[in-house]
Amino acid sequence: MEFAGAAPEVYKAMVSLDTAARKGLDPVLAELVKVRASQLNHCAFCIDMHTKDARAAGESEERLYLLNAWEEAGDLYTEKEQAALALTEAVTVLTDGFVPDEVYERAAKHFEEKELAQVIALIFTINAWNRIGVTTRMVPGAYKPAGH
């Protein structure tokens, strides 16, 4: 299914939501969050898209390769990035029904309230995109970052 053509109003709303969710966030951090959520959700299209966007934003190959094991990567990711990645995992995989207090508190320690709200919005937005991509069987490979 070509989702944008089949549900154009929903697609436009998702694009607007995505734009609003990214506002004010560091582009590299935003792409790390998007890639990590996409890895957890097994969305090949979004992993492809956001690793390309991360590279275009200046992200290193090493950090992209190790993102799946960020907790074991030592100080390769900043404490702020680690807090965002932990929150991404907790929000994406709600198996216990809640985001653990310590995960939320860790993120709140590194992000001011407005920025934290943006990170949370970014996480639920990429999760929605992942569900669209996985459900409609979007195929990776053809995406090119803007301006490239």
Side-chain angles (χ1 to χ4, degrees), residues 78-97:
T78 67
E79 287 186 27
K80 186 174 186 175
E81 290 168 337
Q82 290 177 33
L85 293 169
L87 185 62
T88 299
E89 291 182 0
V91 172
T92 300
V93 185
L94 289 172
T95 54
D96 294 331

mmCIF file with all atom_site columns, all heavy atoms in Angstrom, residues 78-97:
data_model
loop_
_atom_site.group_PDB
_atom_site.id
_atom_site.type_symbol
_atom_site.label_atom_id
_atom_site.label_alt_id
_atom_site.label_comp_id
_atom_site.label_asym_id
_atom_site.label_entity_id
_atom_site.label_seq_id
_atom_site.pdbx_PDB_ins_code
_atom_site.Cartn_x
_atom_site.Cartn_y
_atom_site.Cartn_z
_atom_site.occupancy
_atom_site.B_iso_or_equiv
_atom_site.pdbx_formal_charge
_atom_site.auth_seq_id
_atom_site.auth_comp_id
_atom_site.auth_asym_id
_atom_site.auth_atom_id
_atom_site.pdbx_PDB_model_num
ATOM 1   N N   . THR A 1 78 ? 26.686 10.783 24.847 1.00 0.00 ? 78 THR A N   1
ATOM 2   C CA  . THR A 1 78 ? 26.665 11.663 26.012 1.00 0.00 ? 78 THR A CA  1
ATOM 3   C C   . THR A 1 78 ? 25.617 11.165 27.014 1.00 0.00 ? 78 THR A C   1
ATOM 4   O O   . THR A 1 78 ? 24.726 10.383 26.667 1.00 0.00 ? 78 THR A O   1
ATOM 5   C CB  . THR A 1 78 ? 26.310 13.109 25.604 1.00 0.00 ? 78 THR A CB  1
ATOM 6   O OG1 . THR A 1 78 ? 24.955 13.143 25.136 1.00 0.00 ? 78 THR A OG1 1
ATOM 7   C CG2 . THR A 1 78 ? 27.262 13.649 24.536 1.00 0.00 ? 78 THR A CG2 1
ATOM 8   N N   . GLU A 1 79 ? 25.704 11.675 28.233 1.00 0.00 ? 79 GLU A N   1
ATOM 9   C CA  . GLU A 1 79 ? 24.705 11.306 29.241 1.00 0.00 ? 79 GLU A CA  1
ATOM 10  C C   . GLU A 1 79 ? 23.311 11.737 28.800 1.00 0.00 ? 79 GLU A C   1
ATOM 11  O O   . GLU A 1 79 ? 22.330 11.022 29.030 1.00 0.00 ? 79 GLU A O   1
ATOM 12  C CB  . GLU A 1 79 ? 25.061 11.927 30.591 1.00 0.00 ? 79 GLU A CB  1
ATOM 13  C CG  . GLU A 1 79 ? 26.243 11.252 31.262 1.00 0.00 ? 79 GLU A CG  1
ATOM 14  C CD  . GLU A 1 79 ? 26.508 11.784 32.662 1.00 0.00 ? 79 GLU A CD  1
ATOM 15  O OE1 . GLU A 1 79 ? 25.554 12.264 33.316 1.00 0.00 ? 79 GLU A OE1 1
ATOM 16  O OE2 . GLU A 1 79 ? 27.662 11.710 33.096 1.00 0.00 ? 79 GLU A OE2 1
ATOM 17  N N   . LYS A 1 80 ? 23.216 12.885 28.158 1.00 0.00 ? 80 LYS A N   1
ATOM 18  C CA  . LYS A 1 80 ? 21.930 13.374 27.664 1.00 0.00 ? 80 LYS A CA  1
ATOM 19  C C   . LYS A 1 80 ? 21.388 12.441 26.583 1.00 0.00 ? 80 LYS A C   1
ATOM 20  O O   . LYS A 1 80 ? 20.203 12.095 26.589 1.00 0.00 ? 80 LYS A O   1
ATOM 21  C CB  . LYS A 1 80 ? 22.091 14.802 27.124 1.00 0.00 ? 80 LYS A CB  1
ATOM 22  C CG  . LYS A 1 80 ? 20.807 15.466 26.715 1.00 0.00 ? 80 LYS A CG  1
ATOM 23  C CD  . LYS A 1 80 ? 21.063 16.927 26.330 1.00 0.00 ? 80 LYS A CD  1
ATOM 24  C CE  . LYS A 1 80 ? 19.770 17.645 26.055 1.00 0.00 ? 80 LYS A CE  1
ATOM 25  N NZ  . LYS A 1 80 ? 19.987 19.080 25.789 1.00 0.00 ? 80 LYS A NZ  1
ATOM 26  N N   . GLU A 1 81 ? 22.245 12.016 25.657 1.00 0.00 ? 81 GLU A N   1
ATOM 27  C CA  . GLU A 1 81 ? 21.814 11.075 24.617 1.00 0.00 ? 81 GLU A CA  1
ATOM 28  C C   . GLU A 1 81 ? 21.396 9.747  25.222 1.00 0.00 ? 81 GLU A C   1
ATOM 29  O O   . GLU A 1 81 ? 20.390 9.158  24.816 1.00 0.00 ? 81 GLU A O   1
ATOM 30  C CB  . GLU A 1 81 ? 22.939 10.863 23.604 1.00 0.00 ? 81 GLU A CB  1
ATOM 31  C CG  . GLU A 1 81 ? 23.216 12.065 22.734 1.00 0.00 ? 81 GLU A CG  1
ATOM 32  C CD  . GLU A 1 81 ? 24.499 11.967 21.940 1.00 0.00 ? 81 GLU A CD  1
ATOM 33  O OE1 . GLU A 1 81 ? 25.410 11.202 22.330 1.00 0.00 ? 81 GLU A OE1 1
ATOM 34  O OE2 . GLU A 1 81 ? 24.599 12.669 20.920 1.00 0.00 ? 81 GLU A OE2 1
ATOM 35  N N   . GLN A 1 82 ? 22.158 9.272  26.221 1.00 0.00 ? 82 GLN A N   1
ATOM 36  C CA  . GLN A 1 82 ? 21.806 8.020  26.879 1.00 0.00 ? 82 GLN A CA  1
ATOM 37  C C   . GLN A 1 82 ? 20.446 8.123  27.565 1.00 0.00 ? 82 GLN A C   1
ATOM 38  O O   . GLN A 1 82 ? 19.649 7.188  27.519 1.00 0.00 ? 82 GLN A O   1
ATOM 39  C CB  . GLN A 1 82 ? 22.892 7.633  27.892 1.00 0.00 ? 82 GLN A CB  1
ATOM 40  C CG  . GLN A 1 82 ? 24.199 7.216  27.247 1.00 0.00 ? 82 GLN A CG  1
ATOM 41  C CD  . GLN A 1 82 ? 25.277 6.917  28.267 1.00 0.00 ? 82 GLN A CD  1
ATOM 42  O OE1 . GLN A 1 82 ? 24.991 6.443  29.366 1.00 0.00 ? 82 GLN A OE1 1
ATOM 43  N NE2 . GLN A 1 82 ? 26.520 7.182  27.913 1.00 0.00 ? 82 GLN A NE2 1
ATOM 44  N N   . ALA A 1 83 ? 20.184 9.255  28.189 1.00 0.00 ? 83 ALA A N   1
ATOM 45  C CA  . ALA A 1 83 ? 18.881 9.460  28.838 1.00 0.00 ? 83 ALA A CA  1
ATOM 46  C C   . ALA A 1 83 ? 17.768 9.437  27.797 1.00 0.00 ? 83 ALA A C   1
ATOM 47  O O   . ALA A 1 83 ? 16.704 8.833  28.017 1.00 0.00 ? 83 ALA A O   1
ATOM 48  C CB  . ALA A 1 83 ? 18.881 10.771 29.611 1.00 0.00 ? 83 ALA A CB  1
ATOM 49  N N   . ALA A 1 84 ? 17.999 10.071 26.653 1.00 0.00 ? 84 ALA A N   1
ATOM 50  C CA  . ALA A 1 84 ? 16.994 10.081 25.582 1.00 0.00 ? 84 ALA A CA  1
ATOM 51  C C   . ALA A 1 84 ? 16.793 8.685  25.010 1.00 0.00 ? 84 ALA A C   1
ATOM 52  O O   . ALA A 1 84 ? 15.664 8.284  24.707 1.00 0.00 ? 84 ALA A O   1
ATOM 53  C CB  . ALA A 1 84 ? 17.413 11.049 24.477 1.00 0.00 ? 84 ALA A CB  1
ATOM 54  N N   . LEU A 1 85 ? 17.868 7.935  24.869 1.00 0.00 ? 85 LEU A N   1
ATOM 55  C CA  . LEU A 1 85 ? 17.754 6.572  24.335 1.00 0.00 ? 85 LEU A CA  1
ATOM 56  C C   . LEU A 1 85 ? 17.031 5.651  25.318 1.00 0.00 ? 85 LEU A C   1
ATOM 57  O O   . LEU A 1 85 ? 16.207 4.825  24.907 1.00 0.00 ? 85 LEU A O   1
ATOM 58  C CB  . LEU A 1 85 ? 19.141 6.024  23.974 1.00 0.00 ? 85 LEU A CB  1
ATOM 59  C CG  . LEU A 1 85 ? 19.814 6.738  22.802 1.00 0.00 ? 85 LEU A CG  1
ATOM 60  C CD1 . LEU A 1 85 ? 21.282 6.325  22.691 1.00 0.00 ? 85 LEU A CD1 1
ATOM 61  C CD2 . LEU A 1 85 ? 19.078 6.490  21.497 1.00 0.00 ? 85 LEU A CD2 1
ATOM 62  N N   . ALA A 1 86 ? 17.314 5.796  26.600 1.00 0.00 ? 86 ALA A N   1
ATOM 63  C CA  . ALA A 1 86 ? 16.606 4.995  27.608 1.00 0.00 ? 86 ALA A CA  1
ATOM 64  C C   . ALA A 1 86 ? 15.113 5.320  27.594 1.00 0.00 ? 86 ALA A C   1
ATOM 65  O O   . ALA A 1 86 ? 14.269 4.419  27.658 1.00 0.00 ? 86 ALA A O   1
ATOM 66  C CB  . ALA A 1 86 ? 17.199 5.247  28.995 1.00 0.00 ? 86 ALA A CB  1
ATOM 67  N N   . LEU A 1 87 ? 14.790 6.600  27.480 1.00 0.00 ? 87 LEU A N   1
ATOM 68  C CA  . LEU A 1 87 ? 13.380 7.001  27.413 1.00 0.00 ? 87 LEU A CA  1
ATOM 69  C C   . LEU A 1 87 ? 12.738 6.473  26.131 1.00 0.00 ? 87 LEU A C   1
ATOM 70  O O   . LEU A 1 87 ? 11.599 5.993  26.154 1.00 0.00 ? 87 LEU A O   1
ATOM 71  C CB  . LEU A 1 87 ? 13.269 8.530  27.482 1.00 0.00 ? 87 LEU A CB  1
ATOM 72  C CG  . LEU A 1 87 ? 11.861 9.095  27.554 1.00 0.00 ? 87 LEU A CG  1
ATOM 73  C CD1 . LEU A 1 87 ? 11.129 8.614  28.822 1.00 0.00 ? 87 LEU A CD1 1
ATOM 74  C CD2 . LEU A 1 87 ? 11.898 10.620 27.502 1.00 0.00 ? 87 LEU A CD2 1
ATOM 75  N N   . THR A 1 88 ? 13.469 6.520  25.029 1.00 0.00 ? 88 THR A N   1
ATOM 76  C CA  . THR A 1 88 ? 12.965 5.980  23.761 1.00 0.00 ? 88 THR A CA  1
ATOM 77  C C   . THR A 1 88 ? 12.599 4.517  23.912 1.00 0.00 ? 88 THR A C   1
ATOM 78  O O   . THR A 1 88 ? 11.522 4.080  23.483 1.00 0.00 ? 88 THR A O   1
ATOM 79  C CB  . THR A 1 88 ? 14.017 6.149  22.642 1.00 0.00 ? 88 THR A CB  1
ATOM 80  O OG1 . THR A 1 88 ? 14.288 7.544  22.479 1.00 0.00 ? 88 THR A OG1 1
ATOM 81  C CG2 . THR A 1 88 ? 13.545 5.546  21.334 1.00 0.00 ? 88 THR A CG2 1
ATOM 82  N N   . GLU A 1 89 ? 13.478 3.741  24.517 1.00 0.00 ? 89 GLU A N   1
ATOM 83  C CA  . GLU A 1 89 ? 13.210 2.314  24.700 1.00 0.00 ? 89 GLU A CA  1
ATOM 84  C C   . GLU A 1 89 ? 12.014 2.089  25.616 1.00 0.00 ? 89 GLU A C   1
ATOM 85  O O   . GLU A 1 89 ? 11.160 1.240  25.342 1.00 0.00 ? 89 GLU A O   1
ATOM 86  C CB  . GLU A 1 89 ? 14.458 1.616  25.229 1.00 0.00 ? 89 GLU A CB  1
ATOM 87  C CG  . GLU A 1 89 ? 15.562 1.565  24.189 1.00 0.00 ? 89 GLU A CG  1
ATOM 88  C CD  . GLU A 1 89 ? 16.815 0.847  24.651 1.00 0.00 ? 89 GLU A CD  1
ATOM 89  O OE1 . GLU A 1 89 ? 16.864 0.360  25.800 1.00 0.00 ? 89 GLU A OE1 1
ATOM 90  O OE2 . GLU A 1 89 ? 17.755 0.774  23.831 1.00 0.00 ? 89 GLU A OE2 1
ATOM 91  N N   . ALA A 1 90 ? 11.928 2.860  26.687 1.00 0.00 ? 90 ALA A N   1
ATOM 92  C CA  . ALA A 1 90 ? 10.829 2.674  27.640 1.00 0.00 ? 90 ALA A CA  1
ATOM 93  C C   . ALA A 1 90 ? 9.477  3.039  27.021 1.00 0.00 ? 90 ALA A C   1
ATOM 94  O O   . ALA A 1 90 ? 8.482  2.341  27.243 1.00 0.00 ? 90 ALA A O   1
ATOM 95  C CB  . ALA A 1 90 ? 11.083 3.503  28.892 1.00 0.00 ? 90 ALA A CB  1
ATOM 96  N N   . VAL A 1 91 ? 9.428  4.111  26.247 1.00 0.00 ? 91 VAL A N   1
ATOM 97  C CA  . VAL A 1 91 ? 8.173  4.531  25.624 1.00 0.00 ? 91 VAL A CA  1
ATOM 98  C C   . VAL A 1 91 ? 7.806  3.590  24.480 1.00 0.00 ? 91 VAL A C   1
ATOM 99  O O   . VAL A 1 91 ? 6.632  3.278  24.282 1.00 0.00 ? 91 VAL A O   1
ATOM 100 C CB  . VAL A 1 91 ? 8.265  5.990  25.129 1.00 0.00 ? 91 VAL A CB  1
ATOM 101 C CG1 . VAL A 1 91 ? 7.046  6.378  24.304 1.00 0.00 ? 91 VAL A CG1 1
ATOM 102 C CG2 . VAL A 1 91 ? 8.442  6.948  26.309 1.00 0.00 ? 91 VAL A CG2 1
ATOM 103 N N   . THR A 1 92 ? 8.799  3.118  23.750 1.00 0.00 ? 92 THR A N   1
ATOM 104 C CA  . THR A 1 92 ? 8.550  2.257  22.587 1.00 0.00 ? 92 THR A CA  1
ATOM 105 C C   . THR A 1 92 ? 8.090  0.865  23.005 1.00 0.00 ? 92 THR A C   1
ATOM 106 O O   . THR A 1 92 ? 7.208  0.285  22.379 1.00 0.00 ? 92 THR A O   1
ATOM 107 C CB  . THR A 1 92 ? 9.819  2.175  21.710 1.00 0.00 ? 92 THR A CB  1
ATOM 108 O OG1 . THR A 1 92 ? 10.142 3.497  21.269 1.00 0.00 ? 92 THR A OG1 1
ATOM 109 C CG2 . THR A 1 92 ? 9.612  1.277  20.505 1.00 0.00 ? 92 THR A CG2 1
ATOM 110 N N   . VAL A 1 93 ? 8.670  0.347  24.057 1.00 0.00 ? 93 VAL A N   1
ATOM 111 C CA  . VAL A 1 93 ? 8.354  -1.014 24.506 1.00 0.00 ? 93 VAL A CA  1
ATOM 112 C C   . VAL A 1 93 ? 7.662  -0.919 25.863 1.00 0.00 ? 93 VAL A C   1
ATOM 113 O O   . VAL A 1 93 ? 8.290  -1.027 26.899 1.00 0.00 ? 93 VAL A O   1
ATOM 114 C CB  . VAL A 1 93 ? 9.638  -1.875 24.611 1.00 0.00 ? 93 VAL A CB  1
ATOM 115 C CG1 . VAL A 1 93 ? 9.297  -3.314 24.967 1.00 0.00 ? 93 VAL A CG1 1
ATOM 116 C CG2 . VAL A 1 93 ? 10.439 -1.813 23.326 1.00 0.00 ? 93 VAL A CG2 1
ATOM 117 N N   . LEU A 1 94 ? 6.371  -0.725 25.842 1.00 0.00 ? 94 LEU A N   1
ATOM 118 C CA  . LEU A 1 94 ? 5.603  -0.559 27.077 1.00 0.00 ? 94 LEU A CA  1
ATOM 119 C C   . LEU A 1 94 ? 5.124  -1.898 27.629 1.00 0.00 ? 94 LEU A C   1
ATOM 120 O O   . LEU A 1 94 ? 3.967  -2.049 28.009 1.00 0.00 ? 94 LEU A O   1
ATOM 121 C CB  . LEU A 1 94 ? 4.404  0.364  26.824 1.00 0.00 ? 94 LEU A CB  1
ATOM 122 C CG  . LEU A 1 94 ? 4.731  1.837  26.608 1.00 0.00 ? 94 LEU A CG  1
ATOM 123 C CD1 . LEU A 1 94 ? 3.483  2.601  26.175 1.00 0.00 ? 94 LEU A CD1 1
ATOM 124 C CD2 . LEU A 1 94 ? 5.320  2.453  27.867 1.00 0.00 ? 94 LEU A CD2 1
ATOM 125 N N   . THR A 1 95 ? 6.011  -2.861 27.707 1.00 0.00 ? 95 THR A N   1
ATOM 126 C CA  . THR A 1 95 ? 5.615  -4.208 28.141 1.00 0.00 ? 95 THR A CA  1
ATOM 127 C C   . THR A 1 95 ? 5.155  -4.244 29.587 1.00 0.00 ? 95 THR A C   1
ATOM 128 O O   . THR A 1 95 ? 4.326  -5.071 29.945 1.00 0.00 ? 95 THR A O   1
ATOM 129 C CB  . THR A 1 95 ? 6.773  -5.207 27.943 1.00 0.00 ? 95 THR A CB  1
ATOM 130 O OG1 . THR A 1 95 ? 7.934  -4.708 28.604 1.00 0.00 ? 95 THR A OG1 1
ATOM 131 C CG2 . THR A 1 95 ? 7.071  -5.420 26.473 1.00 0.00 ? 95 THR A CG2 1
ATOM 132 N N   . ASP A 1 96 ? 5.680  -3.350 30.420 1.00 0.00 ? 96 ASP A N   1
ATOM 133 C CA  . ASP A 1 96 ? 5.260  -3.328 31.821 1.00 0.00 ? 96 ASP A CA  1
ATOM 134 C C   . ASP A 1 96 ? 4.103  -2.362 32.061 1.00 0.00 ? 96 ASP A C   1
ATOM 135 O O   . ASP A 1 96 ? 3.638  -2.223 33.182 1.00 0.00 ? 96 ASP A O   1
ATOM 136 C CB  . ASP A 1 96 ? 6.441  -2.957 32.728 1.00 0.00 ? 96 ASP A CB  1
ATOM 137 C CG  . ASP A 1 96 ? 7.516  -4.025 32.718 1.00 0.00 ? 96 ASP A CG  1
ATOM 138 O OD1 . ASP A 1 96 ? 7.179  -5.214 32.512 1.00 0.00 ? 96 ASP A OD1 1
ATOM 139 O OD2 . ASP A 1 96 ? 8.695  -3.667 32.902 1.00 0.00 ? 96 ASP A OD2 1
ATOM 140 N N   . GLY A 1 97 ? 3.679  -1.683 31.009 1.00 0.00 ? 97 GLY A N   1
ATOM 141 C CA  . GLY A 1 97 ? 2.551  -0.781 31.115 1.00 0.00 ? 97 GLY A CA  1
ATOM 142 C C   . GLY A 1 97 ? 2.899  0.645  31.477 1.00 0.00 ? 97 GLY A C   1
ATOM 143 O O   . GLY A 1 97 ? 2.074  1.531  31.344 1.00 0.00 ? 97 GLY A O   1
#
